[in-house]
């Protein structure tokens, strides 16, 4: 049994994803993975633990070096060490960016449906939320550039991009990003690009970071983290890249106002090991996720053809359309739970998402098979009512 298919019980481990589950239920909700991280990372953490002293720790040059190399090797652009500001999470770093670079009341654009803290990070910093809805075709979401331009014309100061996109699974194409960056430049909109899922590219297409546009436009901030890629979210570690020196200084001041220091010693250790040694493990994980996704697609075509899913170009989060059931999100969540399946309901991600669910497929194949069986039972019960 390989690492990705070995079933490890997460009940009673303070896992958010499994918090409400009992031994008869399976969770496909929060975006972390149900398999162990890379052995190289576990070994590095154990070694650091054996040292036994966990005093105040700074971000050393080796940490910055492995990150610079990872970005150049995997995303094919060059960052400088002084652009990197480690943080305890992508969302906190977004909040500091907003506080640093906009004023209360300023308009900030997000593209719905989207990971729900994108809304909260705007409203809870007392900025004005502007929603640019993605357009849905049967199995794919695209950007509504006409509406986006209206938002920018209307005075938006900032936009938060999700690439790859949670929950709709898009990895934005070159043409789309060209157009987006050109619009940001035209209207001088600051662009925060959340690239936390960028190591999960399942489709045969490249991931294009906003970092590739720096020579054209540098009013950008790029958020990355090893947390999804290597299943380290509980260690709380992210990195924001800020090429623009004025933005960097403002960001640092905003972060300092919250007395946020660098990530903890084990997070720094894990991040270094991940980016220095974790690449073969990541490639194996990607193979596993591609197989899981192929299984889900095949299962749905054969067993539940009425359930349509958005093409999963990136992330490990499947966005499924159950609107044919004519049920509310609550009814879907409750009904699936009765079968033993815990999911995230569509309405979490924005208005107009009633009837959708998000399924996390970063688990062993047996768990996924059992989950799809639960989904089938739920759908059939409701179709036969
Ligand atoms: C798009 C996106 N951004 C950010 C996060 C959370 O990042 P962090 O835990 O580093 O704040 C998630 C977690 O699911 C996510 O999907």
């Amino acid at each position: 049994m390989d690492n990705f298919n070995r079933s490890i019980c997460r009940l009673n481990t303070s896992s958010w994803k499994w918090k409400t589950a009992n031994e008869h239920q399976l969770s496909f909700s929060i975006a972390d993975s149900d398999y162990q991280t890379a052995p190289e990372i576990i070994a590095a953490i154990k070694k650091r633990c054996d040292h036994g002293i966990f005093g105040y720790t700074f971000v050393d040059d080796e940490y910055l070096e492995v990150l610079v190399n990872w970005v150049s090797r995997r995303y094919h652009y060059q960052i400088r060490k002084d652009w990197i500001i480690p943080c305890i999470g992508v969302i906190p770093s977004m909040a500091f960016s907003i506080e640093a670079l906009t004023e209360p009341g300023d308009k900030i654009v997000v593209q719905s449906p989207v990971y729900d803290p994108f809304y909260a990070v705007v409203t809870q910093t007392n900025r004005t939320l502007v929603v640019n809805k993605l357009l849905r075709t049967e199995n794919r979401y695209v950007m509504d550039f006409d509406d986006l331009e209206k938002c920018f014309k209307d005075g938006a100061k900032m936009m938060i991009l999700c690439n790859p996109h949670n929950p709709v699974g898009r990895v934005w194409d070159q043409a789309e990003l060209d157009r987006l960056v050109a619009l940001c430049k035209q209207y001088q909109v600051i662009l925060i690009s959340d690239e936390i899922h960028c190591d999960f590219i399942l489709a045969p297409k490249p991931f294009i970071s906003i970092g590739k546009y720096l020579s054209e436009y540098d009013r950008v901030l790029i958020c990355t983290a090893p947390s999804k890629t290597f299943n380290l979210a509980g260690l709380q570690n992210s990195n924001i890249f800020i090429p623009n020196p004025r933005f960097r200084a403002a960001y640092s001041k905003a972060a300092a106002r919250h007395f946020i220091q660098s990530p903890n010693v084990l997070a720094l250790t894990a991040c270094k090991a991940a980016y220095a040694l974790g690449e073969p493990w990541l490639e194996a994980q990607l193979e596993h996720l591609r197989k899981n996704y192929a299984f889900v697609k095949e299962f749905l075509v054969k067993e539940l053809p009425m359930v349509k899913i958005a093409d999963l170009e990136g992330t490990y989060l499947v966005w499924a359309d159950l609107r044919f059931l004519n049920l509310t999100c609550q009814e879907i969540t409750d009904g699936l739970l009765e079968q033993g399946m815990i999911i995230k309901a569509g309405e979490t991600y924005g208005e107009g998402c009633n009837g959708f669910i998000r399924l996390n497929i970063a688990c062993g194949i047996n768990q996924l098979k059992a989950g799809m069986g639960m989904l089938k039972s739920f759908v059939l019960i409701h179709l036969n009512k």
Side-chain angles (χ1 to χ4, degrees):
M1 183 74 50
D2 66 47
N3 179 60
F4 304 106
N5 283 314
R6 191 152 61 91
S7 162
I8 299 177
C9 178
R10 296 182 69 190
L11 297 178
N12 304 313
T13 61
S14 305
S15 156
W16 270 114
K17 185 178 183 180
W18 291 82
K19 184 168 187 251
T20 61
N22 63 34
E23 58 276 22
H24 307 296
Q25 294 167 337
L26 294 173
S27 182
F28 298 87
S29 64
I30 295 197
D32 63 25
S33 328
D34 288 322
Y35 33 78
Q36 284 189 338
T37 189
E40 294 83 355
I41 300 175
I42 297 172
I45 294 173
K46 280 186 176 159
K47 187 170 168 213
R48 190 64 188 77
C49 285
D50 285 344
H51 184 253
I53 301 175
F54 305 102
Y56 295 113
T57 310
F58 65 88
V59 174
D60 62 18
D61 193 64
E62 187 193 342
Y63 178 97
L64 303 173
E65 183 83 26
V66 292
L67 205 39
V68 168
N69 291 338
W70 179 266
V71 169
S72 114
R73 218 170 45 241
R74 305 250 353 151
Y75 322 136
H76 314 294
Y77 72 100
Q78 216 49 51
I79 56 167
R80 281 191 0 212
K81 289 179 189 168
D82 63 332
W83 298 356
I84 304 170
I85 307 185
C87 191
I88 56 168
V90 162
I91 298 301
S93 72
M94 264 182 205
F96 303 150
S97 308
I98 290 172
E99 287 178 359
L101 303 173
T102 64
E103 298 295 328
D106 277 354
K107 292 178 178 157
I108 302 183
V109 180
V110 304
Q111 295 181 304
S112 77
V114 77
Y115 177 58
D116 43 316
F118 276 34
Y119 303 112
V121 78
V122 174
T123 55
Q124 290 182 24
T125 50
N126 297 316
R127 272 54 175 179
T128 306
L129 181 68
V130 178
V131 175
N132 167 234
K133 282 192 179 154
L134 296 173
L135 301 174
R136 182 184 161 85
T137 62
E138 195 188 39
N139 56 349
R140 192 175 154 85
Y141 285 76
V142 293
M143 292 192 198
D144 181 346
F145 283 105
D146 292 339
D147 180 69
L148 187 62
E149 182 158 14
K150 273 193 205 127
C151 300
F152 286 4
K153 258 193 194 147
D154 209 26
K157 289 279 181 317
M158 184 180 262
M159 168 171 173
I160 309 176
L161 173 72
C162 195
N163 186 27
H165 191 282
N166 168 12
V168 306
R170 280 299 316 277
V171 174
W172 301 111
D173 293 333
Q174 167 104 47
E176 292 169 308
L177 293 175
D178 286 355
R179 202 162 163 198
L180 175 67
V181 173
L183 275 179
C184 287
K185 189 172 174 184
Q186 184 181 346
Y187 293 93
Q188 288 296 292
V189 172
I190 298 168
L191 184 59
I192 300 182
S193 184
D194 179 346
E195 302 184 357
I196 195 170
H197 292 280
C198 70
D199 293 310
F200 298 109
I201 307 302
L202 305 190
K205 67 189 286 187
F207 163 69
I208 300 167
S209 170
I210 283 300
K212 289 211 144 186
Y213 291 87
L214 288 176
S215 57
E216 287 157 53
Y217 191 59
D218 80 341
R219 292 166 66 82
V220 302
L221 301 95
I222 300 167
C223 302
T224 72
S227 50
K228 305 283 173 207
T229 311
F230 295 99
N231 205 19
L232 302 171
L235 286 176
Q236 298 185 302
N237 183 194
S238 66
N239 296 290
I240 184 162
F241 309 150
I242 312 181
N244 181 313
R246 213 166 44 78
F247 284 8
R248 208 157 57 230
Y251 175 96
S252 296
K253 257 192 186 168
R257 273 200 295 275
H258 293 275
F259 300 95
I260 294 293
Q261 304 191 341
S262 71
N264 71 72
V265 56
L266 295 183
L268 294 172
T269 302
C271 182
K272 266 196 257 186
Y275 288 144
L277 308 169
E279 214 162 351
W281 182 90
L282 169 59
E283 290 302 334
Q285 181 187 200
L286 285 171
E287 273 313 297
H288 174 77
L289 289 173
R290 286 186 188 111
K291 281 188 200 154
N292 276 6
Y293 175 48
F295 166 75
V296 169
K297 273 204 302 196
E298 211 180 298
F299 180 92
L300 292 178
V301 167
K302 270 199 209 136
E303 309 282 343
L304 293 174
M306 59 301 252
V307 176
K308 301 288 179 222
I309 57 173
D311 287 346
L312 192 64
E313 295 178 341
T315 83
Y316 48 62
L317 306 164
V318 170
W319 185 241
D321 184 353
L322 305 186
R323 285 177 300 176
F324 62 92
L325 291 172
N326 277 320
L327 296 173
T328 64
C329 276
Q330 193 60 52
E331 287 166 334
I332 292 176
T333 309
D334 292 347
L336 282 169
L337 189 62
E338 268 172 36
Q339 300 306 314
M341 187 182 209
I342 300 170
I343 50 89
K344 281 279 193 183
E347 64 184 358
T348 310
Y349 304 97
E351 269 177 32
C353 297
N354 197 36
F356 288 85
I357 59 170
R358 194 193 76 171
L359 290 177
N360 177 345
I361 61 164
C363 60
I365 188 67
N366 289 339
Q367 181 175 318
L368 190 58
K369 282 182 178 166
M372 295 312 283
M374 291 166 176
L375 177 64
K376 181 177 167 187
S377 307
F378 163 72
V379 170
L380 295 185
I381 286 169
H382 279 277
L383 285 181
N384 292 328
K385 262 187 181 169

